[in-house]
Amino acid sequence: MAASKTLCTLGMFIIDQFELRDESGELTGRTQPEAIGGGGTYCLIGARIWLPPTDLGMIVDRGDDFPSVIQGQLSSYGEEMWLYRSRTDGNPTLRAVNIYRGENNRGFAYLTTKIRIEPDQFIGTPLARSKYLHFVCSPVRAQKIMSQVEQVYGWQPVTVYEPIPSSCTPQELPALRAILHKIDILSPNADEAFTLLSIPKPVTKEKVEAAASALIVGVRKALIIRSGAMGSYTLAVGAQRGYWVPAFWTEKEAASKIVDVTGAGNMFLGGLVAGLEKTSGDVVQGLTYFGLEAPQTLTLKTWTVASFFASVSASYALEQVGLPSVGKSRAEDNSELWNGDSPVSRLETLRSRVAA
């Protein structure tokens, strides 16, 4: 019997299209090619930066129109990651349009019929009983997901939950709190956390820390608030305080390095899972490497180390529209390079910056 995968996602595979408009709403005339999308896909690639493809999995529903260029890109990450299904409902591959209006306004809409991925669809496949399970959805949907998971004998995954942005409202907060006792890792971004809790902007570190303290009540393991250029704030259950991990790209580098923020938060969480997996064997050694000497609990330090891996994963999402590319190094170890750069080198850069 094959070993269970480390991480699977319930996210839907999406092909993203783009509509570029100016501030007045008029089309700019600029075009952008289709790109692989979907929060689950980005999450898996964030983990793939650190883990082999055999450790990861998601369902990909392909229509008769599935582009060969996208098929080739998926294959470059490792065929073992993808459980392909042919659509039998007569509809094409799921597509969505990302509508950009000026610099800061963005819309999103599905263009074709969705096929929702359910946990019981993993049964009898290589995706069954993964160690970690990632999902992006409303609290009501999360309840249904966990009800299905609990019906699968012997499956108790570490749950990684991103509340979908449209459900991050004060009205949805009671429903969110009702599911938290089944959630191991909760991770909204700062804007979502502030909206849920009716915290006024601007986003500051002090407000993020207050939001984390309010939202972690009921969560089983940890809460991470992703805060863009400010970095991320990790608060573990039982810890008296949390820990900030900076974004990889500094303010000076951002203008030349950051092209598109799509998927960065999802890739962050994939990197977080990979970091937890890679450091769990020798936590003390990992803490020494990162120079974490502050008087905090061992549990919090474990999560903080994982957040360094997460920050590096997110950095690769920002450098282009769509997913980063993977290739081989010319070094003797034949290690992988992502966007032509070494994740391990970026990890060392981030560690050195924090240690300084």
Side-chain angles (χ1 to χ4, degrees):
M1 184 177 178
S4 298
K5 290 184 177 288
T6 298
L7 170 65
C8 288
T9 180
L10 293 171
M12 296 179 296
F13 180 84
I14 304 170
I15 297 176
D16 279 341
Q17 296 181 351
F18 303 91
E19 189 176 285
L20 308 177
R21 296 179 177 271
D22 59 24
E23 294 286 357
S24 65
E26 296 295 321
L27 290 170
T28 64
R30 293 184 291 122
T31 60
Q32 205 161 278
E34 290 185 329
I36 294 172
T41 318
Y42 275 97
C43 178
L44 275 202
I45 298 303
R48 174 65 184 86
I49 288 171
W50 308 103
L51 300 176
T54 50
D55 284 3
L56 309 168
M58 75 175 289
I59 290 174
V60 178
D61 287 309
R62 294 186 293 191
D64 293 338
D65 62 336
F66 202 77
S68 58
V69 64
I70 285 180
Q71 181 66 69
Q73 188 176 0
L74 289 179
S75 297
S76 73
Y77 300 124
E79 289 287 358
E80 305 93 334
M81 295 175 63
W82 318 110
L83 178 61
Y84 293 109
R85 302 189 304 191
S86 296
R87 293 194 69 150
T88 58
D89 59 357
N91 285 298
T93 307
L94 180 60
R95 282 177 166 81
V97 60
N98 293 267
I99 305 166
Y100 293 85
R101 182 170 177 172
E103 292 297 322
N104 300 313
N105 295 320
R106 180 174 172 180
F108 177 88
Y110 288 106
L111 298 174
T112 50
T113 305
K114 297 183 289 184
I115 298 180
R116 181 168 279 176
I117 310 299
E118 305 289 356
D120 59 8
Q121 295 171 8
F122 291 172
I123 298 173
T125 78
L127 279 57
R129 295 181 175 85
S130 60
K131 183 175 180 180
Y132 293 82
L133 181 65
H134 167 261
F135 42 96
V136 187
C137 59
S138 70
V140 172
R141 165 82 173 138
Q143 284 278 16
K144 294 178 181 177
I145 287 172
M146 292 311 302
S147 293
Q148 281 196 28
V149 168
E150 290 165 353
Q151 292 173 17
V152 179
Y153 178 77
W155 191 23
Q156 295 180 316
V158 177
T159 49
V160 184
Y161 176 40
E162 295 182 68
I164 198 167
S166 60
S167 72
C168 291
T169 65
Q171 293 76 23
E172 290 282 341
L173 185 58
L176 177 65
R177 294 207 182 279
I179 188 62
L180 291 185
H181 67 288
K182 297 181 180 180
I183 301 301
D184 295 294
I185 303 170
L186 175 67
S187 184
N189 65 32
D191 287 344
E192 293 160 355
F194 279 31
T195 304
L196 271 166
L197 297 168
S198 302
I199 298 175
K201 294 182 180 179
V203 174
T204 66
K205 286 189 173 183
E206 292 75 17
K207 290 181 181 179
V208 168
E209 291 171 13
S213 297
L215 284 176
I216 198 172
V217 178
V219 175
R220 293 200 295 206
K221 293 184 181 294
L223 179 134
I224 299 100
I225 296 183
R226 297 165 276 122
S227 306
M230 290 169 52
S232 64
Y233 182 69
T234 302
L235 181 60
V237 171
Q240 293 184 348
R241 65 184 180 87
Y243 200 97
W244 282 93
V245 171
F248 178 78
W249 297 119
T250 64
E251 185 177 352
K252 290 182 179 179
E253 297 168 324
S256 61
K257 294 294 185 180
I258 297 179
V259 174
D260 185 25
V261 300
T262 302
N266 311 120
M267 283 188 64
F268 177 98
L269 288 176
L272 182 85
V273 169
L276 289 170
E277 196 67 10
K278 291 183 72 69
T279 59
S280 61
D282 192 344
V283 173
V284 175
Q285 181 179 344
L287 298 175
T288 301
Y289 175 76
F290 283 97
L292 296 175
E293 304 297 338
Q296 300 166 31
T297 67
L298 184 62
T299 298
L300 177 58
K301 288 183 178 180
T302 304
W303 288 97
T304 304
V305 169
S307 292
F308 278 82
F309 286 82
S311 185
V312 170
S313 285
S315 72
Y316 286 102
L318 299 169
E319 297 178 73
Q320 68 288 306
V321 175
L323 296 171
S325 61
V326 61
K328 291 292 186 181
S329 167
R330 294 182 180 179
E332 291 183 4
D333 62 2
N334 201 32
S335 59
E336 289 184 338
L337 299 179
W338 289 80
N339 288 351
D341 196 12
S342 165
V344 175
S345 295
R346 289 194 182 186
L347 194 65
E348 171 61 20
T349 297
L350 189 60
R351 183 201 69 83
S352 300
R353 188 186 306 156
V354 172

